[in-house]
């Protein structure tokens, strides 16, 4: 970590001093930085210079101003094995939805096919999502796929993101898709609690991902881990408000979905709708396995421990089906704090395909100042429970 910090410091110093010919400042390519005039083309010109540089590394510097960017796609592959983006200033999305009509990208800032990308800085990326949230048409979820993601990475291997602030996305804030080897550290991701479907971080079809030392508070999942993902490590995340950290949803529309080797540790949840959750639809197939939750702190959290194999959020055509995603090898160890729901441990597994090897140890979840004792519920669950409050007597060995 010290070596990485020193490298960032060195590159930043070079950018500020203008002492290297592989440092490219967006201002030199026509950016204005007044937050009013569109700087998208200037950014793309600067990106082209960075991406085609005949050097072992190149740096794109965004200085301390406010830049208005329309939906923009930064594409690779690039010549330099490593590309640095120093985000010292702020980026803001347009405040009107009409800008997206006819755009090549449905998202705001998109990075595609770029290996060795390192993004660092303390700038703010403001997705200006409130114009999207206020529409009841969008709140119904009828056209969620048209709501822009603020920051999207696809097919970007060996990705590093550190220090930036991503706020007020119209939809998901940050998404990784088919990325191998990614480290996200010291991020701040924020949106109002009532902003619809504004997940903080979505990890899909990606592997070898680390998410470390970050704060995420939005109107949906702080982190959602979707199908095709494996070897994901989530450490020291402060989550809330939001819907907790979720694996899934999986198995929608009969899909075969898989996730494995997901490890969540030393995370805290404050005022979230859910805590640590696995959610699958009836009728799907595949598996969610080799999952651990360790040293989790809860502060007035609903549904603290939740396996929901009957996920059907809009309550439309929610029929029981015989096929299901297989949930197995899940460990909860050291989950402690307070719950706003009586059923603090809810393990609702498929009636036809049992959850197996579910292990609970050192669980202590009490009422969040309300007049009830917490309880547990199991449906078709096989596993073991050690010391636990509430008592989990419903597991079948």
């Amino acid at each position: 970590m010290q070596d990485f910090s020193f490298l960032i410091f060195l590159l930043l110093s070079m950018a500020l001093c203008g002492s290297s010919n592989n440092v490219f400042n967006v201002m030199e390519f026509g950016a204005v930085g007044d937050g009013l005039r569109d700087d998208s083309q200037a950014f793309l010109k600067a990106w082209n210079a960075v991406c085609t540089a005949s050097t072992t590394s190149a740096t794109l510097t965004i200085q301390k101003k406010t830049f208005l960017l329309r939906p923009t796609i930064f594409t690779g592959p690039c010549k330099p094995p490593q590309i640095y983006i120093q985000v010292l200033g702020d980026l803001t999305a347009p405040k009107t939805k009409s800008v997206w009509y006819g755009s090549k990208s449905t998202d705001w800032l998109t990075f595609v096919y770029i290996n060795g990308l390192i993004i660092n800085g303390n700038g703010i990326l403001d997705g200006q999502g409130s114009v999207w949230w206020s529409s009841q048409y969008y709140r119904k979820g009828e056209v969620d796929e048209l709501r822009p993601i603020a920051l999207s990475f696809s097919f970007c291997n060996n990705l590093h993101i550190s220090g930036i602030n991503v706020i007020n996305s119209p939809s998901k804030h940050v998404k990784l898709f088919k990325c191998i080897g990614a480290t996200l550290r010291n991020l701040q991701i924020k949106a109002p609690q009532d902003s619809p479907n504004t997940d903080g971080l979505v990890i899909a079809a990606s592997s070898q991902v680390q998410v470390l030392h970050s704060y995420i508070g939005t109107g949906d999942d702080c982190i959602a881990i979707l199908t095709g993902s494996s070897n994901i490590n989530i450490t020291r995340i402060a989550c809330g408000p939001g819907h907790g950290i979720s694996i899934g949803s999986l198995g929608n529309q009969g899909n075969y979905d898989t996730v494995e080797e997901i490890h969540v540790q030393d995370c805290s949840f404050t005022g979230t709708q859910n805590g640590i959750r696995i959610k699958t639809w009836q009728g799907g197939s595949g598996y969610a396995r080799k999952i651990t939750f360790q040293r989790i702190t809860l502060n007035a959290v609903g549904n603290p421990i939740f396996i929901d194999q009957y996920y059907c959020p809009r309550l439309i055509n929610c029929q029981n089906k015989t096929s299901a995603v297989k949930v197995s090898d899940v460990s909860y160890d050291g989950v402690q704090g307070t719950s706003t729901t009586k059923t603090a441990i809810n393990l609702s597994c498929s009636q036809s395909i049992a959850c197996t090897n579910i292990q609970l140890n050192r669980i202590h979840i009490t009422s969040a100042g309300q007049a009830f004792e917490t309880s547990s519920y199991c449906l078709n669950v096989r596993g073991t429970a050690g010391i636990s409050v509430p008592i989990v007597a419903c597991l079948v060995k």
Side-chain angles (χ1 to χ4, degrees), residues 4 7-9 11-12 22-24 47 50 56-62 80-87 114-120 160:
F4 180 76
L7 180 59
I8 291 299
F9 173 78
L11 289 165
L12 178 56
N22 65 344
V23 177
F24 302 87
W47 175 255
V50 169
T56 56
S57 68
T59 301
L60 177 66
T61 299
I62 302 169
Q82 287 187 319
I83 291 180
Y84 299 84
I85 300 180
Q86 298 291 339
V87 187
I114 305 163
N115 294 334
L117 178 62
I118 300 172
I119 300 176
N120 177 269
H160 293 263

Side-chain angles (χ1 to χ4, degrees), residues 330-332 347 356-361 363 381-388 392 395-397:
V330 183
S331 172
Y332 303 89
L347 310 175
T356 58
N357 195 24
I358 309 301
Q359 301 177 12
L360 298 98
N361 191 39
I363 310 297
V381 187
R382 299 174 183 174
T384 60
I387 299 172
S388 177
V392 185
L395 293 173
V396 177
K397 292 185 179 179

